[in-house]
Amino acid sequence: MKNISRILLIVILAVVINSCNSDFLNTTPADSLSENAVWADPILVELFVNEMYRGIGHGHHECEVGSMTDESHFIHNYGTNQVVASLITPSDIGQWSAGNQNAYRWPRVYEYLRNANMFFENIDKVPFEDENLRKRLKGEVHFLTAYYYHNLVRTHGGVPIITKTFLLDDEFEVPRNSLKECVDYIVKNCDDAASMLPVKQEGAELGRANKSGALAIKSRILLWAASDLVHENWYGSYEQPDLVTIGGDRTSAWTAAKNAAKAVMDLNAFSLHKPTGDAFDDYTSLFISKSSPEHIFSRYFIKSNGWDSEDSNTHSPLFNGPNGYAAWAGNTPIQALVDDYEMTDGTRFDWDNPEQAAAPYENRDPRFYASILYDDAPWRQRPATLQANDPIGEISIRTVYAGNDVTSDRVYGLDTREGPQQTWNGGYTGYYLRKAIDITVDPEFVYDGANQEVPWTFFRLGEIYLNYAEACIELGEDNEAKIYLNMLRDRVGMPDITETGDALRQRYRQERRIEMAFEQSRYFDVRRWLIGPQTQDMNSTGIVINEFADGRVEYSVHEVGQVRGWDDKTNFLPILQDEMNRNTMLIQNPGY
Amino acid sequence: MRNARNYLFLWGRSLLTLLLFCFSIGLVSAQQITVTGNVTSATEGTIPGVNIVLQGTTTGVITDLEGSYSIVVPGPDAVLVYSFIGLVTQTVIVGNQTTIDLVLESDVSELDEVVVLGYGTQKKATVTGSVSAVKGEALKSIPANNVSNTLVGQVAGLMVVNRSGEPGADDSQIRIRGINTLNNSQALIVIDGIANRDGGLSRLNPNDIESITILKDASAAIYGAQSANGVIMITTKRGKAGAPEIGFSLNMGMNQPTRLPDMLNGPDYAQMLNELDEYRDRDERYTQDQVNKFGDGSDPFRYPETDWYAETLKDWSPQGNANLTLSGGSEAVKYFISAGGTYEDGYFKNSSVGYSQQNFRSNIDAQITKNIKLRFDLSGRHEDRKYTQMRGGTTFRFLQGMKPIEPAFWPKRSTDTERLPGPDFEGGSNPAVTSTDITGYNYDNNYIFQSNVGLDITELFTVEGLSFVGNIAIDESFREFKNWKKPWILYTWDKETMNENNEPDLVGSVKGIAAPELTQESRRSKSFTGNMRLNYTKNFGEHIVSVMAGIERQTQTGYYFSAYRNGFVSDQLEQLDFGANNTSKTNNGSLWESARLNYFGRVNYNYSNKYLAEFVFRYDGSQIFDPKYRWGFFPGVSLGWVVSEENFMSDVSWVNRLKLRGSYGTMGNDKIDPYQYLGTFEFGGNYIFNEDVDTKSLRPSSVANVGVSWEVAKNANIGIEGGLFDNKLSFEFDVFRNVRTDILYPANAAIPLTAGFSPPDQNIGEVKNQGFDLSLNYIHTINKDLYWSVGFNGGWAKNEIVFWDEPAGKLPWQVSTGKPMGGQLLYNALDVFIDQAAVDAYPHWPGARPGDIRFEDVDGDGEITVDDRVRTDKSNFPTFVGGIPIAFGFKNFELNILMQGAAGAEQYVQVPSGEFGNYLQDFADGRWTSENPNSNKPRAFNRTDEYWISGRNTHFMRSTDYLRMKNVKLSYTLPQSLVSKANMKYVQVFFSAMNVLTWDTYKVFDPENSSQNGGSYPQRRLFNLGVNITL
């Protein structure tokens, strides 16, 4: 026993004396890499660039940008009410501070831009075996830089252009660059990217930035930079107008916009998506197909994508589907959008026309049927629980009365807030989103991985046509504009536009609203055109449909309880108050 | 009759023997002796109420009014312990005596009580820090199976809040003197001298615990960089020389939730929905006739009414524990061995939720030579947690949300053999179904093994007063998770279609997932601690100096891996191999490591037990930090003056003890993420190229903060403690002021977002926390048959953010600097708009209508905006936690009651009511309606639709101050005469209870819950019967 204790004493002493060598404290992390390791390995550099793609967002987050416009009502609010009522302040920008809008959010965009700067500071020392890869990655990061700034500038106006990687002990305060400098910087990055990238990416590179995409960003931002928003004084007196306006010659601005759009078209690499020639099928599959001759730059998704704000596209059927399909309604189209879909003869729908008011969903622009679910719209098979009520699978909004007036016994529609299933997930407007939702996906099981694999297309030829047409109209080249507008209308079987002058401008704006619905265009268009006071200053409305025993069906438009209002200040988001406080060189946007 | 009784006892004893088989120990035959005698005090003559206890047992008697006693002891080896407060405790070996008369010496006995301190022990009388101890015996009498739930109300300044009662997940939040930092505020847990042991203190066997010591002030500085939040030290029991003693205890209890919220019944709920329709300008969805039908049961298929709690929960759920201990030994080898098990069932019907544990401990001391002792301790336990797919908190959230007009189960139709489950809320969740194992299971098995080998050498190198202590502790734990999900079927009815029997045609459909799926995860961690220290104590006349110095190293590693597959073809084979071999399957794994090295020491000076001084230090090195900034020095100093030892106090007879003390020290908190000094890159999420190729990405995970270091605590404490009136009244009062600086917090104000990185944590934050602890105890012994005692302990602590780099320019009423941590920005709810005129008369949110809450226009700009929100002063952690222990003893009966309360916390209450779910009765009663416009409660609301729901405001904030009857124990100790006939030493039977009654104004949920929507598993109210037997 004495020996045991002697041995133990020696062991303890050995352990403890060994401790005097404190090398064992020098552990290294087992789950992360050092900076040097990254820039020494081309494969890791490529992964680093991949990360920058993750931030570019997509259009099918649970809360869509369209719900901050006159496209839809987001029933769960999530800060959209502040935006549509123009209640945002520098301390509260509502949904614009939510993760769903990361691709536009000041903090996130600057995070990715820091990665871009870090990339450019290091890329030339990476030992590439294939120099083409270095060039391609540089081109991609120029594209991504342009993309991030074009989001930030369109939402905030002139922003600080950061071209270095900040470290902890740097001087951080920077001023905002003028709007013109910002646009020039975006254009320069587009041009650089275009010079380094192929027109299209293919094979393993499909989905990476390409030359066409770079030119498409340029088209979009130059159109924006030619618009009324940045040339007219909507803000009164403001200490630094060059943060929100560009000035200069409008004609040359519109010409630049026209040329930028033309540059994309002149690549001759894309054509309108019309594989079948059927208007409804073509316009539907344009947003579902993984490949299309119209897609310029898209992001792809697979079923196993997760729930985080970067990947949630795959859940769109659940986010937006009707409650009668065990989904959550989410972004529900409002009546104002529905009413803007033309009749098939190209005339405006009119509630004062008794024939149209009695059958409002008949003879409408095929894009209506492909974009919006309405009462009696054919849709997929119901969940087992409701198949007895609706064996066919049609959207059910109307209330069916046993008698001839509203006091009689009634049965509510399956997809309403009074329906038999998940009433709290019913929409208020009587419409559900259909565009870019895959009918083959059962929303009931999306929660558990039965997701959709629908891509998100950031740029497509259709938008370029519209950009081109708008620039042409503003330059007085009406006929040139109509060629491209009517190509789009022809694809969906709508009659040609024949107007000229301001009437043409209004038809064009109408056409853009419909063609680009739910593609994150409307929010910027109403601001570019300074038409917020006309289009955004009215409460959300929806439809109520009553069917009586005698066969009468009455459609009536009701407010849905979402208060809206317009304030010109919301043409741009405010700089967050905390950011203003941290960086005294910043100047707040007008009106805040 | 007597034979029969003996037979019963023999039978019982045989059963116990059987239970003890694993110990291979036979029962020692008894040879009983009755000892009588008389006890007197040197100063006061005969003393009634002297405690006489058979050593090593709880068997004992009390002297009567004449100071006489009589006790039966098992044999001549028996040792009797005579104790009385204020007198020296004496022990006497019985030998062949049958009469033992004693004279007890006055006082000083209490001073010999020893307290465990960091790396050593000290007499309580000479402790100069703020140190509290609680005896294991006190905790053992509380029937909770989780040690952390026995601590509340026991120690002044130990703030304990229990957020959840879910079996196996019911650990209390423990904070010493409140919250001192913006970061991790957990105390360091030290078990038998080893810090950071896996598994913590909660699941220790209360029967194994000798004492728990809490270091509340600078006395914790000996634990250096880990000590800033205080230290909780647990010491387990060890054997004492003597005959083997076998203890057996058994507890069997029934529990139920402390509180369930009152929800609306069917008709009231339907009425609320009609009101919503009215406010939205829609037709009311139910006629009055339909509303009534939800209540009258006339048509249970079309108009069901469900009490979801009654459908899902049972009235009582069992729990219990059993424990065996064996201790004893010779002077050469002593042992304490225990084995035990616990079991707790969930509240649910057909419950598949439960916790069970098996544990053992073996603490061995071997005296190898006169001055060398070897310690060998081994303990292990298996924690077995069983949950359903839906965890308890979620189930309770759904329970309060479920609509009373939807059926949990349909009524039985003529062809049904059982009630078919009703529809789901969404995603398949019908809590009456998903609280069972129909949806699969979630198993969590944790195995923890701890070992410690120690060597104590006194008179090292034959130097008197020089000693050596060394320890090597190796702990290892394994944790296995298995999560098996499978689809289930729920039934709906469209309220129209009838089947061939003209009964409702219920349609079943698969819910949740299409096919079963399985996730398995395995975690393993191990730690190694080696330490040694030298002690030297020397007396120079009245001066006593002792010095201790030590060194310790600790390394810990852990790793995990997990795997997942879906698409199981059958739910019969719950193994990964049988899942689909598709792209959804995953596997993951990672590893972590930690290492510490430190040097520590203590110097004590004691002049005649009158003037005391202590200095402790630790020099700490940790792998968490940059090698250049890795080491830190943490000193603590404390002084004490035992006033009662002064000559001028000798005449003040009513003061028995009086000590003044003060301390100040610097401590650290390094509970932060490691490697912050490195700029690292980590793998991020994936991106899809080429339509469906999942590609990895890499991102900068952090910006290097090269100088990152620990938080620094500078804690000051002044205390006074003493005993008055023959020590009948003892008290302790401490005032403290803690300043925590260098708190790791991002430099929010300095780094704008344009920098493109989230600011890393830097050592910039500062928090102040001050308050007091107070404990009082009064014990009064009336005669040998009757005594009572009452005490009070409480701690108050209020913190304040001094600096956390809040960007300048905040509105004054929104600034958080200078306010307590945990406050929120809330609109100030004034009242309810009684009518349209009231709406028009005051600034309001767009769309406000009568019945809505009126928010105060704080900035007076005529609009209600986010700028009108005001920061609150309270958090959901109380500023005061206290307890009132009360005890009565009458003959063999003893009654212990612990009243316990907390104050200073508040909790937001908001459940998603409306079309989404049910309303709290409290929110519906007396609400604003057009018929009741003068109400101060808002109208019916729909989930978050109303601005006064989505805009958080003070209307929904409630105080959670409470007072509870926390513990009750009524025990009866069988008379010695009876017990000894059965060859037992001690038998006690008792009834005990927890959370018996609660008084508060919070009302809706349990006041310790911190979920605003009731999404937490309520604490238990427990009634328990138990027995303690010593053989």
Side-chain angles (χ1 to χ4, degrees), chain B residues 188 219 644 713:
Chain B
L188 178 70
S219 53
S644 51

Side-chain angles (χ1 to χ4, degrees), chain B residues 541-798:
Chain B
E542 299 279 271
H543 311 267
I544 307 170
V545 175
S546 60
V547 179
M548 181 272 282
I551 176 172
E552 179 177 272
R553 91 181 245 165
Q554 184 168 61
T555 52
Q556 296 180 308
T557 56
Y559 65 79
Y560 85 96
F561 66 84
S562 71
Y564 160 87
R565 285 202 198 188
N566 62 14
F568 280 68
V569 287
S570 153
D571 63 6
Q572 302 297 311
L573 294 168
E574 302 155 17
Q575 311 303 329
L576 278 174
D577 270 3
F578 307 107
N581 195 14
N582 59 18
T583 54
S584 296
K585 67 178 184 181
T586 63
N587 46 61
N588 300 293
S590 195
L591 171 131
W592 58 268
E593 291 180 292
S594 78
R596 298 169 185 284
L597 174 64
N598 41 69
Y599 307 88
F600 51 86
R602 172 162 43 221
V603 181
N604 285 95
Y605 171 75
N606 174 342
Y607 176 76
S608 187
N609 286 337
K610 212 185 289 181
Y611 307 114
L612 310 164
E614 180 182 79
F615 172 75
V616 296
F617 78 92
R618 185 156 174 136
Y619 185 58
D620 231 329
S622 156
Q623 122 277 2
I624 293 169
F625 305 108
D626 187 332
K628 278 180 282 191
Y629 304 92
R630 179 164 283 167
W631 291 87
F633 182 72
F634 302 94
V637 62
S638 56
L639 301 170
W641 176 30
V642 186
V643 183
S644 51
E645 289 290 304
E646 296 286 356
N647 290 334
F648 60 80
M649 289 296 289
S650 57
D651 294 340
V652 188
S653 61
W654 56 276
V655 176
N656 307 84
R657 291 181 293 119
L658 185 64
K659 182 164 71 180
L660 294 173
R661 49 183 171 69
S663 70
Y664 181 78
T666 302
M667 292 167 281
N669 181 15
D670 67 357
K671 290 192 179 70
I672 59 160
D673 292 338
Y675 306 119
Q676 294 189 21
Y677 61 91
L678 297 174
T680 55
F681 286 67
E682 64 185 7
F683 288 103
N686 292 8
Y687 193 87
I688 315 301
F689 291 110
N690 198 11
E691 298 190 359
D692 55 9
V693 179
D694 203 359
T695 316
K696 271 199 173 334
S697 74
L698 188 70
R699 65 183 174 208
S701 51
S702 58
V703 173
N705 172 14
V706 174
V708 64
S709 184
W710 38 79
E711 295 175 7
V712 176
K714 292 198 165 67
N715 293 0
N717 186 85
I718 293 175
I720 180 168
E721 62 182 73
L724 309 176
F725 313 113
D726 294 335
N727 279 325
K728 279 180 186 160
L729 178 66
S730 54
F731 69 93
E732 196 162 346
F733 179 68
D734 283 273
V735 181
F736 63 89
R737 182 187 160 88
N738 297 345
V739 178
R740 187 75 60 92
T741 59
D742 292 10
I743 295 174
L744 279 161
Y745 208 76
N748 283 310
I751 303 180
L753 300 168
T754 41
F757 61 87
S758 323
D761 290 343
Q762 289 176 275
N763 295 96
I764 56 170
E766 182 170 344
V767 167
K768 193 169 70 182
N769 180 34
Q770 47 198 5
F772 64 84
D773 307 335
L774 170 65
S775 66
L776 294 169
N777 240 313
Y778 183 78
I779 179 159
H780 188 72
T781 306
I782 294 162
N783 59 44
K784 71 175 172 119
D785 285 338
L786 189 60
Y787 83 93
W788 61 273
S789 75
V790 62
F792 171 83
N793 66 70
W796 181 83
K798 187 155 191 199

Side-chain angles (χ1 to χ4, degrees), chain A residues 1-2 4-5 8-9 11-13 15-16 18-20 22 24-35 38-39 44 47-48 50-51 53-54 56 75-77 82 87 89 91-92 106-107 110-111 114-115 118 160 162 166-168 172-174 203-208 290-291 297-302 304-305 311 328 384-385 388-389 401 406 410-412 417-418 420 422-425 428 444-445 448 558 560-561 563 576 578-579 581-583, chain B residues 277 280 282-285 366 368-369 372 374 403 424-427 453-455 457 468 470-472 492 494 496-497 507 509-513 528 530-532 551 553-555 590-591 593 595-597 599 621 623 627 630-631 675 677-683 685-692 694-700 703-705 748-758 760 762 807-810 845-847 866-867 915-916 942-943 945 950:
Chain A
M1 281 298 262
K2 230 177 158 177
I4 293 174
S5 60
L8 185 61
L9 180 62
V11 170
I12 291 173
L13 288 174
V15 164
V16 173
N18 182 38
S19 302
C20 298
S22 59
F24 76 98
L25 293 178
N26 295 325
T27 58
T28 51
D31 55 0
S32 53
L33 295 162
S34 77
E35 182 163 357
V38 174
W39 299 115
L44 295 179
L47 298 192
F48 180 79
N50 293 352
E51 165 65 17
Y53 280 95
R54 282 180 52 75
I56 62 176
I75 70 161
H76 316 298
N77 182 357
Q82 283 102 298
L87 291 173
T89 74
S91 308
D92 177 20
W106 182 288
Y110 277 111
E111 223 169 272
R114 180 173 185 271
N115 287 8
M118 193 187 293
I162 309 291
F166 281 107
L167 294 173
L168 194 51
F172 295 105
E173 296 207 0
V174 287
E205 268 55 80
L206 181 61
R208 292 188 179 278
K290 285 196 175 184
S291 70
F297 175 68
S298 303
R299 177 175 185 173
Y300 304 99
F301 295 87
I302 56 172
S304 59
N305 274 136
D311 292 337
W328 300 349
T385 47
N389 309 56
Y401 288 88
V406 294
R410 69 208 92 152
V411 177
Y412 290 104
R417 291 185 77 88
E418 295 82 15
Q422 297 186 14
T423 52
W424 62 94
N425 282 332
Y428 291 99
E444 189 176 15
F445 294 103
D448 297 286
H558 287 253
V560 300
V563 177
L576 289 171
D578 277 352
E579 186 73 349
N581 295 341
R582 291 180 190 112
N583 179 357
Chain B
D277 290 333
R280 270 205 184 256
R282 298 163 83 104
D283 296 341
E284 289 189 350
R285 70 189 74 192
I368 291 162
T369 68
I372 299 179
L374 198 67
K403 299 180 186 183
D424 55 342
F425 185 73
E426 65 181 20
V453 184
L455 182 68
I457 306 173
F468 168 90
N471 285 294
I472 288 178
T492 48
D494 61 11
E496 285 179 68
T497 318
V507 180
S509 65
V510 170
K511 293 292 171 183
I513 47 178
F528 172 92
N531 67 37
M532 67 171 198
I551 176 172
R553 91 181 245 165
Q554 184 168 61
T555 52
S590 195
L591 171 131
E593 291 180 292
R596 298 169 185 284
L597 174 64
Y599 307 88
Q623 122 277 2
R630 179 164 283 167
W631 291 87
Y675 306 119
Y677 61 91
L678 297 174
T680 55
F681 286 67
E682 64 185 7
F683 288 103
N686 292 8
Y687 193 87
I688 315 301
F689 291 110
N690 198 11
E691 298 190 359
D692 55 9
D694 203 359
T695 316
K696 271 199 173 334
S697 74
L698 188 70
R699 65 183 174 208
V703 173
N705 172 14
N748 283 310
I751 303 180
L753 300 168
T754 41
F757 61 87
S758 323
Q762 289 176 275
K810 284 247 162 85
W845 199 266
V866 287
D867 290 348
E915 288 164 323
F916 191 70
N942 192 26
R943 205 176 178 186
D945 287 3
S950 56

Side-chain angles (χ1 to χ4, degrees), chain B residues 275 279 834 926-935 937 939-940:
Chain B
E275 288 175 27
Y279 299 137
I834 57 169
R927 69 186 177 279
W928 185 97
T929 60
S930 46
E931 289 84 42
N932 183 30
N934 291 312
S935 169
K937 277 188 188 172
R939 64 185 172 92

